[in-house]
Amino acid sequence: QVQLVESGGGLVQAGGSLRLSCVASGSIFSIINMAWYRQAPGKQRELVAAITRGGSRNYADSVKGRFTISRDNAKSSVYLQMNSLKPEDTGVYYCQTSGIWGQGTQVTVSS
């Protein structure tokens, strides 16, 4: 079983940046794809960005050009660099892999 722990959320002004981190532990040999999702208040959870073990990436249209997902396989970690943040980026951000979710980290962007 894989466990995921996120960190790096916080409160930032619009236009600012944050870097989220997610560390995996447990049966990490099974990890292939890793992804970041977010859930805004009153909305469904949505995919923000995903990355394969080989480094192929895909992004939600709303974050293209502003967010960058990366991973360090040696550290069993995935990161989300978020730049030019907007109030609509506010939400709980979750790390996900193989159907397993982290506990989430809150990101709040003030206008």
Side-chain angles (χ1 to χ4, degrees), residues 11-70:
L11 173 64
V12 64
Q13 288 188 332
S17 299
L18 284 174
R19 185 175 187 250
L20 305 183
S21 299
C22 172
V23 180
S25 61
S27 302
I28 57 178
F29 63 85
S30 64
I31 295 175
I32 299 176
N33 302 325
M34 299 189 79
W36 286 97
Y37 286 74
R38 68 185 178 192
Q39 187 164 20
K43 295 188 177 181
Q44 290 187 330
R45 194 171 296 186
E46 62 174 354
L47 176 67
V48 175
I51 186 168
T52 67
R53 188 169 184 85
S56 297
R57 300 169 173 85
N58 67 281
Y59 298 94
D61 288 342
S62 59
V63 307
K64 283 181 181 176
R66 301 188 297 121
F67 290 12
T68 302
I69 189 171
S70 62

Side-chain angles (χ1 to χ4, degrees), residues 60-108:
D61 288 342
S62 59
V63 307
K64 283 181 181 176
R66 301 188 297 121
F67 290 12
T68 302
I69 189 171
S70 62
R71 67 188 291 168
D72 185 334
N73 291 333
K75 295 182 179 180
S76 302
S77 297
V78 63
Y79 309 97
L80 187 67
Q81 178 66 43
M82 306 185 293
N83 299 327
S84 302
L85 282 161
K86 304 175 181 180
E88 51 264 44
D89 294 317
T90 294
V92 179
Y93 283 68
Y94 298 91
C95 179
Q96 186 268 350
T97 185
S98 305
I100 296 168
W101 298 85
Q103 83 286 354
T105 185
Q106 176 70 44
V107 171
T108 303

